[in-house]
Amino acid sequence: MAPHAIHFIRHAEGYHNLLEDESIPDPDLTPQGKTQCQDLANDFPYFDRIDLVCASPIRRAIQTALTSTEPYLQSGKHKILALPLAQEATDKPANTPSDINRLVEEYGEVVDFHLCQDTYFDYNTKKGKFAPKRAALQARALELRKFLRDRDEHEIVVVSHGNFLHYVTGDINDDGSEAKGWWKNTEFRSYRFFPVGHEEALLEETEESVKMREASGPGEVKGSAEVANI
């Protein structure tokens, strides 16, 4: 059975955001970013329902998950699952994950990296399925949706990135531009799989999520056949 809800969160402010410099390799969160995470930990309303927290293996996403989902982690019974499919779209240094040895050394006690080590060992190459090309991004977004749909957990948090989240949720226009508004740092939006059983694991934003961010909707994800490739 597909999860009841997927809560996507964009990472908090990193130094590449503050300095507008994507040449910084895998940057940390800024002090403001850490404050944003603490605020989200206080404001996120669904911790009593969360069964799994995933994060892109880019360090700012891991750091965001560690602080923002602290109420979920505080029992010590859970680890964050590093999810290579959720990494950012471009191949800029700021959007390329660090080497697995560094990540394990820094976060191995609280983050499960088995998908980076076994299933997606090429996770930081930015080649193949991780290439910054439209067709590859569409395919990776589909693979991520199917991965989440096939999990046994009822409610899942995924900490990811603003650009790639548009591909995951289908908010991409035919010319490749993002739709439904840019994701703010630590913004979260909640989705369900609808229609149930669709081969492309389509997502629809929940009415509650739309109201919380004062947007219009909900609207389902466009299938890959409906979106032009570049």
Side-chain angles (χ1 to χ4, degrees):
M1 180 180 293
H4 297 313
I6 307 294
H7 308 284
F8 291 108
I9 299 172
R10 185 193 173 202
H11 64 81
E13 182 187 72
Y15 278 100
H16 69 303
N17 298 133
L18 177 65
L19 301 175
E20 298 184 355
D21 182 2
E22 292 195 337
S23 69
I24 302 172
D26 201 2
D28 290 308
L29 296 182
T30 65
Q32 172 63 19
K34 294 175 182 178
T35 297
Q36 291 169 344
C37 292
Q38 292 166 352
D39 290 341
L40 181 59
N42 292 329
D43 296 340
F44 187 78
Y46 307 122
F47 283 120
D48 60 333
R49 294 159 25 185
I50 296 304
D51 303 300
L52 176 68
V53 173
C54 305
S56 154
I58 293 176
R59 294 171 71 250
R60 62 184 179 274
I62 293 172
Q63 293 170 1
T64 296
L66 286 172
T67 300
S68 295
T69 68
E70 196 277 333
Y72 166 84
L73 297 170
Q74 64 185 356
S75 68
K77 298 179 180 179
H78 306 290
K79 277 192 170 185
I80 293 167
L81 177 63
L83 188 51
L85 294 171
Q87 67 183 270
E88 184 57 300
T90 82
D91 59 356
K92 299 293 186 182
N95 297 325
T96 301
S98 296
D99 177 79
I100 190 61
N101 293 326
R102 178 186 180 185
L103 294 176
V104 170
E105 181 179 357
E106 286 188 276
Y107 306 112
E109 293 186 2
V110 288
V111 180
D112 176 0
F113 288 104
H114 83 270
L115 291 175
C116 299
Q117 295 167 309
D118 302 327
T119 308
Y120 302 104
F121 53 86
D122 59 343
Y123 72 99
N124 64 347
T125 63
K126 291 297 183 178
K127 297 178 180 179
K129 73 174 56 188
F130 299 107
K133 302 294 185 181
R134 183 70 180 280
L137 291 167
Q138 287 288 102
R140 176 154 64 91
L142 173 59
E143 187 171 349
L144 174 58
R145 293 197 302 271
K146 288 183 174 180
F147 174 88
L148 296 171
R149 179 199 61 191
D150 295 341
R151 298 289 303 189
D152 293 330
E153 293 86 2
H154 290 167
E155 298 208 19
I156 299 173
V157 166
V158 180
V159 181
S160 187
H161 305 265
N163 191 337
F164 187 60
L165 281 171
H166 285 276
Y167 287 91
V168 177
T169 59
D171 298 332
I172 294 286
N173 294 319
D174 290 344
D175 63 358
S177 60
E178 290 92 351
K180 295 190 179 178
W182 185 248
W183 291 62
K184 300 185 291 290
N185 290 123
T186 61
E187 178 181 350
F188 70 90
R189 303 180 192 179
S190 303
Y191 294 80
R192 64 186 180 116
F193 289 97
F194 183 83
V196 176
H198 194 282
E199 64 180 4
E200 293 195 1
L202 301 186
L203 291 166
E204 179 183 66
E205 187 173 5
T206 67
E207 292 185 7
E208 183 178 15
S209 176
V210 171
K211 290 178 181 177
M212 287 180 66
R213 64 188 187 91
E214 298 180 347
S216 60
E220 67 183 41
V221 167
K222 296 179 180 178
S224 59
E226 299 176 73
V227 182
N229 291 323
I230 60 172

